Amino acid sequence: MLLEDNQLTKDMDESRQGEVFSDSKSVNPGERGHYYIESYGCAMNFNDSEIVASILSKEGFAPITDMFAADLILVNTCSIREKAEYNVRQRLREFDKVKKERPGTLVGVLGCMAERLKKKLLEEEKLVDMVIGPDAYRDIPNLIAQAEDGEKGLNVLLSRDETYADINPVRINSNGVCAFISIMRGCDNMCSFCVVPFTRGRERSRDAFSILAEAQDLFDRGYREVTLLGQNVDSYKWENPENKEAVSFAQLMEMVASIHPDLRIRFSTSHPKDITDEVLFTMNKFENICDYIHLPAQSGNSRILKLMNRTYDREWYIQKIDRIYELNPDCAISSDIIAGFCTETEAEHKDSLSIIEYAKYSMSYMFKYSERPGTLAERKYEDDIPEEVKKRRLSEIVETQMRISFEHNQKDIGKTFKVLIEGNSKKSDQQWKGRNSQNKMIIFEKLGKHKPGDYVEVKVNSATKATLLGEMINS
Ligand code: SAH
Ligand code: SF4
Ligand code: F3S
């Protein structure tokens, strides 16, 4: 995973998928050829690539890790910041090399850049054969057939009801233990800086029973953690057509958590305006719903929050933080912070530093403001904070967060946590890595007979700002 602005910018918009694991049950894998897929952006995009993999496997395409051997190269893109788009454009140059070596290879651009740029992408990037928006993946087989006949294809229609509820994702991005489940798509919030409502369309929630079936199937196949995904999970709302009863996010969580106590539930992202006590109570009711909330503040200053159209102010946000810690003192909270939004003063920037201190975030994703075409902020406000100032403010935010993360982790020394083993640590196959309920990565020596997917008790002996180091007990 490559890092963008700073060490703690851990979102996935600059990362790309490495290995491809397929548990596809395709009837004739590889009959039509092989596809290579790279994903950028948020977890939802990675999950979308798994939906695309499912559609492709039904068509007889098999995944491949070597792009030079692929008949079809797909790149699932992100538009969230200018840099994310720039990286994809650079990546397209590499795909051009494949096309030169292997004429006939088709290149498709999926995801948010496809949606934002539409046919401009076909005009500007001559190597691209297909441009497919996030709601049009069912059309991929047709677009491939068309491209095989030499005709470039475009489908960027947004939908009001597409949730891909009936498609069982092929887990190409998975370690076999943790999986993403998209529970809703789109976003109706219109934060003034954000391109997502334009690239992902209107908010819609997926059939609760299809979510439940997917989670049950994952559990039966040995998965032990699911992350329920949405741009704004707390506004999940689905009406059961049978009895007209509405299912809220808290109810959905309860349904999924009831599948089995050994299936961990995480969720992302919560919008501070929407997270309810009902959600917090449900989290407390189930041991297997993790004590972790990603609650992006974006800024700690009320005037800037208003300009950002976040619909809450500093006081409201602080009340939410207080409430979470009141109901669950063990809960870890993380955030997203934007440095140098339009007209932000030094004093207002300091409010972002102090919100990090106040909320005691376990970690944050931190970004420099990047103006996005078509957003409210681009139309209404001047992007007037000089680049060096944005950079400096970002590094102050990062320094503050690193200090708070370090303190947060130091407090865990001596404590024992239930850890779900995810696999070997990066450094050694003699060590496991896994996360505790609070979403902290813990590294520990292997002891006894365990495997990924097992829960073990680990006592923390030391900690850095990013990781806990511990030892297994009662193995
Ligand atoms: N739906 C999620 C966020 C999705 S985008 C939420 O509302 O929390 C992930 C993060 O990217 C945002 O939280 C924000 O911090 C950041 N981001 C979005 N637009 C940005 C922009 N124009 N410049 C810099 N960061 C941005
Ligand atoms: Fe973007 Fe705001 Fe929607 Fe998140 S809630 S995706 S930041 S518009
Ligand atoms: Fe990026 Fe689209 Fe996700 S803009 S962050 S890939 S919704």
Side-chain angles (χ1 to χ4, degrees):
M1 196 169 287
L2 307 174
L3 299 177
E4 183 200 12
D5 302 316
N6 57 63
Q7 278 296 306
L8 288 185
T9 302
K10 284 191 278 187
D11 82 330
M12 295 189 272
D13 73 44
E14 272 70 50
S15 75
R16 54 175 196 263
Q17 152 205 339
E19 290 166 281
V20 171
F21 304 99
S22 174
D23 50 6
S24 148
K25 299 273 187 307
S26 164
V27 205
N28 300 308
E31 189 183 82
R32 288 277 307 280
H34 290 86
Y35 71 91
Y36 170 88
I37 187 164
E38 277 185 9
S39 309
Y40 296 75
C42 59
M44 175 98 43
N45 241 21
F46 280 70
N47 191 223
D48 278 0
S49 293
E50 299 180 328
I51 289 168
V52 170
S54 177
I55 293 170
L56 288 173
S57 94
K58 286 207 179 73
E59 288 294 303
F61 285 94
I64 199 167
T65 48
D66 176 10
M67 66 178 177
F68 283 91
D71 304 292
L72 178 62
I73 294 179
L74 297 173
V75 53
N76 198 352
T77 61
C78 175
S79 290
I80 202 83
R81 286 168 288 277
E82 202 180 346
K83 180 95 185 294
E85 290 202 356
Y86 173 81
N87 285 346
V88 167
R89 299 260 192 183
Q90 293 301 104
R91 199 62 192 140
L92 290 177
R93 305 283 77 78
E94 299 298 312
F95 299 154
D96 219 4
K97 288 183 194 153
V98 181
K99 277 196 117 166
K100 289 210 170 81
E101 232 176 70
R102 201 181 149 92
T105 298
L106 299 176
V107 172
V109 177
L110 319 178
C112 291
M113 264 177 93
E115 193 61 50
R116 194 180 83 73
L117 294 161
K118 303 185 170 62
K119 71 172 189 311
K120 242 170 103 181
L121 251 181
L122 288 175
E123 290 157 10
E124 289 172 1
E125 305 286 354
K126 296 290 177 231
L127 83 157
V128 174
D129 301 290
M130 295 171 288
V131 170
I132 309 154
D135 286 347
Y137 296 146
R138 286 181 203 271
D139 199 26
I140 287 180
N142 299 328
L143 291 165
I144 293 174
Q146 195 179 314
E148 282 171 344
D149 287 342
E151 201 185 323
K152 296 201 175 207
L154 174 87
N155 188 341
V156 288
L157 284 177
L158 284 173
S159 158
R160 281 187 172 250
D161 48 28
E162 178 63 274
T163 57
Y164 301 112
D166 57 320
I167 295 180
N168 198 10
V170 172
R171 303 290 166 181
I172 51 171
N173 295 313
S174 162
N175 56 10
V177 177
C178 313
F180 296 128
I181 301 183
S182 295
I183 62 163
M184 57 198 296
R185 300 180 71 82
C187 182
D188 284 349
N189 281 327
M190 299 308 260
C191 300
S192 65
F193 52 80
C194 186
V195 78
V196 172
F198 304 97
T199 61
R200 292 269 166 176
R202 298 306 296 269
E203 203 165 277
R204 65 217 96 121
S205 296
R206 176 178 161 190
D207 178 327
F209 296 113
S210 76
I211 297 169
L212 211 55
E214 189 175 330
Q216 179 72 58
D217 175 59
L218 285 164
F219 183 75
D220 294 344
R221 290 195 286 143
Y223 286 80
R224 289 295 174 264
E225 182 183 294
V226 294
T227 303
L228 307 179
L229 290 180
Q231 295 301 342
N232 184 11
V233 287
D234 297 278
S235 65
Y236 176 88
K237 200 172 178 203
W238 179 76
E239 194 185 273
N240 184 345
E242 310 255 296
N243 57 12
K244 300 284 171 221
E245 273 175 25
V247 177
S248 69
F249 178 58
Q251 288 164 326
L252 177 74
M253 264 208 307
E254 176 147 7
M255 287 160 73
V256 181
S258 303
I259 288 178
H260 197 284
D262 282 345
L263 182 66
R264 265 188 179 174
I265 319 299
R266 298 188 186 278
F267 54 92
S268 188
T269 301
S270 299
H271 194 299
K273 79 175 164 61
D274 292 321
I275 189 163
T276 58
D277 270 4
E278 196 198 356
V279 166
L280 302 178
F281 291 141
T282 307
M283 287 176 73
N284 277 359
K285 202 166 129 188
F286 289 87
E287 194 265 337
N288 55 329
I289 301 181
C290 291
D291 293 333
Y292 172 66
I293 302 176
H294 185 55
L295 196 72
Q298 312 297 356
S299 163
N301 176 267
S302 295
R303 188 187 74 90
I304 294 296
L305 286 168
K306 193 156 202 294
L307 291 186
M308 287 177 161
N309 198 25
R310 288 291 286 183
T311 71
Y312 55 85
D313 60 10
R314 182 182 173 93
E315 285 62 45
W316 167 280
Y317 188 82
I318 282 178
Q319 272 175 25
K320 283 285 169 198
I321 295 288
D322 290 349
R323 185 70 175 149
I324 292 167
Y325 287 141
E326 181 194 335
L327 292 176
N328 184 356
D330 290 332
C331 194
I333 305 173
S334 62
S335 188
D336 294 348
I337 308 273
I338 297 178
F341 187 65
C342 314
T343 75
E344 183 189 65
T345 66
E346 269 323 294
E348 289 165 342
H349 158 63
K350 293 224 159 62
D351 283 344
S352 290
L353 301 181
S354 71
I355 206 81
I356 297 173
E357 307 244 5
Y358 186 90
K360 296 194 171 46
Y361 297 131
S362 55
M363 64 103 175
S364 290
Y365 301 113
M366 298 160 279
F367 316 99
K368 279 181 293 179
Y369 172 59
S370 166
E371 187 176 79
R372 307 309 292 131
T375 57
L376 193 81
E378 187 254 352
R379 286 179 278 127
K380 269 178 82 174
Y381 314 125
E382 197 187 335
D383 181 14
D384 58 351
I385 307 300
E387 185 60 22
E388 319 80 74
V389 177
K390 281 186 190 171
K391 257 194 196 148
R392 195 249 310 146
R393 287 184 189 168
L394 178 64
S395 66
E396 287 173 9
I397 290 171
V398 172
E399 276 163 31
T400 307
Q401 181 59 62
M402 291 214 283
R403 179 165 49 76
I404 299 295
S405 295
F406 184 70
E407 286 170 18
H408 204 288
N409 288 351
Q410 291 294 307
K411 287 202 183 108
D412 289 338
I413 295 175
K415 291 186 192 163
T416 298
F417 294 103
K418 184 176 170 183
V419 173
L420 174 61
I421 300 178
E422 290 181 20
N424 290 337
S425 86
K426 251 188 234 150
K427 284 200 186 124
S428 157
D429 61 7
Q430 298 306 305
Q431 294 175 328
W432 290 124
K433 69 169 178 190
R435 277 171 298 150
N436 67 5
S437 178
Q438 287 75 9
N439 204 34
K440 288 193 187 177
M441 192 60 86
I442 309 188
I443 309 292
F444 51 98
E445 292 294 318
K446 292 183 179 177
L447 206 64
K449 276 196 170 37
H450 291 286
K451 58 181 187 321
D454 286 352
Y455 288 99
V456 288
E457 295 288 319
V458 180
K459 183 169 173 238
V460 176
N461 294 324
S462 63
T464 67
K465 59 185 182 302
T467 326
L468 306 179
L469 301 168
E471 61 180 310
M472 253 160 75
I473 55 170
N474 305 327
S475 69

